[in-house]
Amino acid sequence: MKFAVIVFPGSNCDLDMYHAVKDVLGEEAEYVFHTETSLEGFDGVLLPGGFSYGDYLRCGSIAQFSPIMAEVKRFAEEGRPVLGVCNGFQVLVEAGLLPGVLMRNRDLKFMCKTVDLVVENNETMFTSEYAAQETIRVPIAHGEGNYYCDDATLETLKANGQIAFTYKENPNGSVENIAGITNEAGNVLGMMPHPERAVEALLGVEDGKRLFTSIVKWGARHVTYN
């Protein structure tokens, strides 16, 4: 597969994302800057973490207006994989590709540590390499990862199996311990933990690697190469 790593002013996990896909998985990857207007030739889109546009106004609120986001929306509407991590998750929410909001952490402090996640739905293109209800360890690093949605949206997320990951011990106050959700179609995933920082033993944990191999496994079945 060929992945586009979207780079906004202030992205700082783009190198990690590129390394995970290119160097660890051995898949193709290219940086795509926020000013670009085409994703032609790519099979998957990755929105990395960081502080796009300095997180002014709200996290992700300015990045959603970047020229490349029209293409990200088209890509998502075509049913192809779009992954947003941390600030990437916030951008996807602000762009309306995922429901809910991300607020400041419950204790109003930036958090940086490795946490336990529960795989709530292992039947998505992002989670098929995990077992159902498996506990995995993935780092978090955020100040505004407190996921919130209203009761009706929460019931919809549950009914559609859109809750992909939950925290085993809620670090930030997220409703129902939510750490990551998909869109209703299941091809857009947003999550606050950083799987790209958990792809090799050198990093202390490898549980994030299977998220990326899940996407590649999906691509092997669905992507047609010329």
Side-chain angles (χ1 to χ4, degrees):
M1 293 184 70
K2 185 175 181 179
F3 291 88
V5 179
I6 309 297
V7 181
F8 300 102
S11 294
N12 64 16
C13 298
D14 43 337
L15 297 176
D16 298 331
M17 196 72 86
Y18 182 95
H19 172 72
V21 173
K22 182 78 172 182
D23 301 326
V24 178
L25 269 72
E27 300 294 323
E28 292 187 68
E30 286 185 13
Y31 296 115
V32 175
F33 288 90
H34 60 108
T35 52
E36 297 293 331
T37 57
S38 174
L39 288 169
E40 192 68 33
F42 291 101
D43 307 306
V45 171
L46 308 172
L47 282 73
F51 302 91
S52 60
Y53 294 90
D55 277 352
Y56 292 120
L57 299 181
R58 286 188 314 277
C59 301
S61 63
I62 300 178
Q64 65 161 315
F65 296 112
S66 298
I68 194 60
M69 288 305 297
E71 270 291 272
V72 172
K73 291 179 180 177
R74 180 189 63 79
F75 203 87
E77 290 169 357
E78 292 177 352
R80 295 193 276 176
V82 176
L83 168 65
V85 171
C86 199
N87 192 226
F89 185 11
Q90 295 160 341
V91 173
L92 291 176
V93 168
E94 291 289 337
L97 289 172
L98 292 171
V101 296
L102 288 149
M103 307 186 299
R104 293 192 68 183
N105 294 344
R106 176 182 49 209
D107 296 331
L108 306 182
K109 294 180 180 178
F110 183 89
M111 311 185 77
C112 184
K113 60 182 181 180
T114 299
V115 300
D116 288 340
L117 302 180
V118 177
V119 180
E120 297 291 344
N121 183 355
N122 71 332
E123 297 181 352
T124 78
M125 64 172 68
F126 305 98
T127 57
S128 64
E129 292 289 280
Y130 298 109
Q133 296 299 305
E134 179 180 353
T135 297
I136 62 175
R137 289 183 61 74
V138 180
I140 59 171
H142 58 249
E144 299 186 30
N146 181 354
Y147 180 80
Y148 174 80
C149 62
D150 59 30
D151 291 342
T153 301
L154 181 59
E155 290 307 310
T156 299
L157 292 177
K158 290 179 178 178
N160 294 333
Q162 291 176 243
I163 301 174
F165 300 105
T166 57
Y167 299 106
K168 206 157 192 176
E169 296 184 7
N170 195 336
N172 54 27
S174 291
V175 63
E176 294 279 328
N177 299 344
I178 287 175
I181 60 170
T182 70
N183 63 344
E184 189 170 343
N187 67 300
V188 179
L189 170 66
M191 61 189 296
M192 290 310 298
H194 288 265
E196 79 281 5
R197 296 183 183 177
V199 293
E200 52 193 335
L202 180 65
L203 299 174
V205 59
E206 299 178 88
D207 287 346
K209 183 177 179 180
R210 282 182 284 161
L211 187 145
F212 295 101
T213 56
S214 294
I215 303 173
V216 173
K217 181 181 176 182
W218 175 90
R221 296 196 306 269
H222 296 89
V223 175
T224 301
Y225 301 96
N226 296 322

